[in-house]
Every structure is written in structure tokens, then in C-alpha cells.
Amino acid sequence: MQFFTIMYSKENTIALQDSTQSFLKNIPDVLTSKEETEKLRDVLRFHEYRYYILNDPFISDGEYDQLFKLLERTEKQHPDWITKDSPTQRVAKELTGNFLTVQHLVPMLSLDNSYNEEDLRDFDRRARQLTGLDSIVYSVEPKFDGGSISLVYENDLLVRGATRGNGVQGDDVTTNIKQIRTIPLSARFSDYGLQQVEIRGEVLMNKENFKKYNEALIEKGLAPLANPRNAAAGTLRIKDPSEVRRRNLEVFVYHISDYTLLPGKDTPKALLSHDASLQLLWELGFRSPVHEMHVFRSIDEVIAYCREFEEKRDSLPYEIDGMVIKVNDIQLQEVLGMTSHHPRWAIAFKFKARQGTSKLLNVEFQVGRTGSITPVAKIDPVYIGGVTVSSISLFNEDVIREKDVRIGDTVLVERAGDVIPYIVKPLTELRSGTERPITFPSHCPACNSTLFKEEGEAAWRCVNIECPAQVVERMIHYVSKDALDIRGLGEANIKKFYELGLLKDIPGIYKLNFAAISQLEGFGAKSVEKLKEAIEQSKKQPLHRLIFALGIRYVGETTAKVLAQKVNHLLELKDLSQEALQTLEDIGPKVAGSIVHFFSNEDNLKMLQELEALGVEMNNVQKQTHGSGELEGVTFLFTGTLPTLKRSEAEAMAEAKGGKILSGVSAKLNYLVVGKDAGSKLDKAQKLGTVKIITEEEFLKMINT
């Protein structure tokens, strides 16, 4: 097995440092030869490597800047001397338009997850069984928590950087990728006989940079970013490369997914095992987890290392949410192969959810768009898993009673899946006797109307349709992405316009005073024009999106499609009885009753008539004609996270072939298409026994035949 040490030998290092001092002693206005210019580029690349990869700089930031500016001046005077991998070529102008969608050379599959030792032992058992070996050598490395990317190098030059996207296709973010200094613009793959290489990596913002960046935002009066993961992934799709550069992102590369050889060259020995491939990438100037990665010959050693890493995760400069275990031998990886969702030669060991303790200070009661009252716990801010948590939903009165949570309690807080915080339990043994029960209000905190609880429900509701809190929440839902998708009119602006008296109800969205809005801070001519355009476009959204946007209780996206298919005009729904509605696919008494209640309310009908008068399309101009597709009358339901498709995309594909989408598992369901983390719907389908359970791959074969 061939291993590598560092990118620059001792001799190279001495020579480059001597060149550095020579340039710094007498910095000219410009260099006069192409050879000297290339030597300066080599010097700058060396110092970038020392600073960004090794975190061990040899010169000061000021000295580096002097050399960089010398190169800039020289290239400006001699533009024909500029090379594609020059350090100056990381700088780019602001992007215009949307990011292009590009196809990965090899699909970026998800990893199967494990949560305990038994899962890992089962993975090892399956791997040994499939290979016929008594033992397998594994490599183990951290599972970095950031944004996944794919890098393509051709003839030693970086030619493309892309986001993971749906695993098959992603966004071309090459310009932004070039702003990240831990990604070389060129690498000597040709020294190893490689012509084209595709590399997987994870874009990260380390904890320290994340903290500094958020502090700067707060000083400017701007909202801080949620966590390092979102910060890293979101930054990749920013259209201002200079902003990308300011956020100081880093990249760890962890896998060579595909490569082609130069004519007459054989596969290098370094690509016969995973650990050697990481060493190769390190040697070529990439930051790979060579120091964090270890190779083990038994699953017991793997488990011990995972536990060791879990103990020290908080001391690391980056967020990690687990460990990745890979079969180290590349040939064995090929033998094991992969499913449509994940490779059989790798598995992720997920760490336990983050927990912390805090003090419950108070409980506020918030009003949702349907009038439901949600208790929200206000706690002493506590840092859990890279996020400062200060507010936690307590869901409803029953949860409060079941947990016996009291104001003043010390509570155990957990981020489920490292994302959603919730209170696990109060630490009752720490009570001092000063804790107070949480008193659920009898009247709406927004309008003081008496609250009502329906039989069989947990939530208390405000039934005053004019309640200001509900009005605002209904407007927020109406403009949301899955509803009418009015970009530029999100939650913050809805609340702002409402408070200023510029907006009082949903029809008011189409009567906004743009002259007044243009006087507000942050609303220039360009943003106002975009808002106008988005509002105008919303009038032509398909009928099912308008139905969903109305926020009728129990009517989700699937039910909205069923209702839209039934009518030629929205207001025809007011003529349908509860019994007639229940004859429609997957609409039961509860949903039907809610629809009848909505369309029998005179205020709602007046609102719809006003919307139509304002130009909102209520005719079903996109009504489908069933009977022409090969899957006419066949029913589908999708559950879990699909490997490559969004659920909405899969549903549209089924409907285009004449299929129908149901919202729940019943005897009417023909196919349940399951993805990752399929839950109760899968269990119900298995118990029912009449539903055919298929994968996304099987569904696509059905669609494409």
C-alpha cells in the first residue's frame, strides 16, 4: 500500500520560502517576465496551503496581501499571462440568473443510518456474508455536518463544483466553490495517471467563524444564521461570490467517486483502498480527514472508536453528527454494490441527539391560522448542537399536564435529529417549592374571545375569525411556498405591513400601496417591482394551490388536488353537501364537515368573490382529463424521503399517467411508495395486507414502461 506524507517536501518548502523572502525584499510595481509571474503564483499557492490546509502560516496576512496585489498588478498589465488556476481567479463578479442544473457523473447516494452497536454488528454481518470473508477491514471517519458537494477536475483543473441536489442532479455552483480556499483550483492528478476525477466533499463553517459571522450580523441589526450546517449549505447558493468569500467556508473531501485514466496508464495503487485515496487527496493539496480517519480490522474496534469520537465531539472545531464506516478495500466495495438508496459498503453511525438543561422562565401562548392555541416555553438560552435554544413548543395543554412541567423548573432539552428542540422532562428532584403550575388561558391572548375545545381534540381554539393573530397567520400561509408562493412577501413583511396598517386581510395583498411600501427601509425600486411581479403571478396559480392557500382546516395539498379535480370553478364547492364530498377520494366526515363549514360562511364567500374581482383565477384551467393515462384509476401514496425525487415530483408523475394520489392508507390504496424513514403509513400498509409496497426505483420502472 502506498502512502503519502505532505504536499511539499522539506526541499520544496525551503525553496519556496526563500522565493517568498526574495519577493518581499524588493516588491516591484509589476513583474517583467512570465517565468517570475509563475514563480509568484507557486509562492502564493504554497502559502494558501500552509494557511488554509495546515493552519500553520509562514508569513503574515499583510505580507501575503502584498504578494497577491503584486500578482494582480502584473496580470492586469499582462492579461495573456493569466492562467485558469491563478490565485487571482477565485475572485468573481456577482452572479445573475438561476444556477444551472448539472448531472453528477455518479449519483450521490444517501448513507444507511445506524444508531446503536447492534446496527453496526448487523452491518458487519451482512458485509461478511455477502463477501464470504471471516473479517473485513474498515475505515472510520467523522460525518461532517454541512453541505454536500461534488467536484470535477479535468486535466488537473477544477472545471465544476455542484451541490448534491436530488442525488442525481445538483446546482452548478462552480463560481462560489472557487471562493473556498481549501479547494485547489488545480491539482496534479496527471502525476498519478488520472485524466478526469469526481470528488465528494462537505462544505463547512467552523464553529469559531460561525460565531464571529453571527456577531457581525447582530451588530448590524440583522438576524443571525441558525446553525453552521445551514450557514454552509445556504452560502453555496448565494449569488454574490464576495459574500461567499467573507463567510470563510472550508471543505473536507472524503471520497473519489469516479475517475478516468490517461491513455496507457494503470489505476494507481492509492485508489485500491479508501484510506490510501484520502492520503492521495491530502498529498495533492486537499483537506481530507486523514488525521481523523482510522483503519480497523474488527467491528469491535470500530464501535470503540465511534464511542470515543462521540465523547469528544464538542471539543472539535466543526459540527459532526456521527461517524462513517466504510469497507476499506475498493474491490470489496464493488462486490458489495449498492441499493437504489445507499451503498452496501458504507453506513453512518449517528450520535445521540443533543441534550442540555435550562430553566423554564415563562410560557407564552401563540395563536395559529386555524385558531389553535400553542403554548411556547421561554427558557434560559442554552447552546445545544450548534444552536442557541430559547423557545420550545409545548404543543398543547395535555402535553403540559402529562409532563408536569412548571414555570421555574429545571428542564432537560433535546434537539430531535439535531434540529427540533423539545422538553424531554422536568428535573423534579431539583425543585425548590417555588415552581408554579402553567395556567392555560380561557380567553384568546390576541382578541380576548372565549376559547373552545372540540370533543376528542387536544387543542384549544379561538373561534373568532376576525382575531388579528389568525388573520396574520392566514396571510402568511396564503403567500407561502406550497400555496401561492408570493416571494418577497414572507412572514416578516406580512407582520410589518399589518402593523403599519398597509395590509389587513388576504384580498389586501392585491391592493397594496406600493408607493407607501417604497418609502420603507429596505424596499428599493427593484425589490418593490419584484414584489409587484410575484403578486401578479400568484393570480394565475393552479386551482389546487389556491384551495390549499385558503387554509381550510384539514385540507392539505393532496385533498386540495382532489377538490380541484371535482370542479370547474372554485365556488362550485359551496354547492357540494357533506355527503357528496365524502364520495370523493379519501375525504371523510371530518374533512367534509370542515369544507362545508368554510363554504357556508358568508364572510369567506365575500372574500373569494373579492379575490376573483381582483383578478385571482378561480376557473380550473388545468383540470385533468382522466382516462387517457396507462395508470388510470390506480392509486398511489408516497411516504418517507425518496432517494432522488421530491414527493411533489413523484405525485405529478403518477398523475400525468392517470394515477390518483391518496392522503392515507386504506383499502382503496393500490401502491405505497416508500422512502427513507417511512413511518406509520408503512406499518399500516403492512398490517392491511392488500397494499403493494414498492420502492422509488420500482415506481419509476412502472412510470417509464
Side-chain angles (χ1 to χ4, degrees), residues 42 64 98 100 107 131 185 269 276 320 345 368 541-542 565 595 640:
D42 287 339
Y64 176 90
N98 295 322
L100 295 173
T131 59
L185 298 181
K269 290 182 180 178
I320 64 171
W345 45 266
Q541 287 281 18
Q565 188 59 39
I595 297 166

Side-chain angles (χ1 to χ4, degrees), residues 474-487 489 506 509-510 533-550 611 615-618:
R474 283 198 295 271
M475 289 191 288
I476 291 169
H477 175 72
Y478 185 89
V479 306
S480 64
K481 184 179 179 182
D482 293 326
L484 293 200
D485 193 21
I486 304 179
R487 302 187 181 185
L489 196 59
I506 288 173
I509 292 168
Y510 301 97
E533 186 180 339
I535 291 172
E536 195 62 31
Q537 287 176 347
S538 76
K539 296 177 180 179
K540 305 300 179 186
Q541 287 281 18
L543 183 60
H544 69 86
R545 295 190 71 154
L546 174 60
I547 294 172
F548 176 66
L550 295 175
L611 287 174
V616 177
E617 182 60 69
M618 293 192 181

Side-chain angles (χ1 to χ4, degrees), residues 33-49:
S33 76
K34 199 171 181 179
E35 291 74 20
E36 280 292 289
T37 305
E38 186 55 39
K39 183 186 285 187
L40 177 58
R41 290 193 192 101
D42 287 339
V43 165
L44 287 168
R45 292 185 191 111
F46 168 71
H47 289 295
E48 286 182 348
Y49 176 79

Side-chain angles (χ1 to χ4, degrees), residues 83 95 110 142 278 312 345 377 423:
T83 61
L95 299 170
S110 302
L278 294 188
K312 63 181 183 183
W345 45 266
I423 291 176

Side-chain angles (χ1 to χ4, degrees), residues 225-267:
L225 301 176
N227 52 58
R229 175 196 177 103
N230 292 351
T235 300
L236 290 177
R237 302 192 77 258
I238 290 176
K239 292 186 178 180
D240 181 4
S242 62
E243 177 61 21
V244 178
R245 192 161 56 253
R246 280 193 291 271
R247 294 193 183 189
N248 292 316
L249 299 181
E250 304 172 41
V251 169
F252 272 94
V253 294
Y254 55 78
H255 182 60
I256 295 176
S257 56
D258 190 51
Y259 62 87
T260 59
L261 298 171
L262 290 165
K265 297 294 184 177
D266 296 323
T267 300

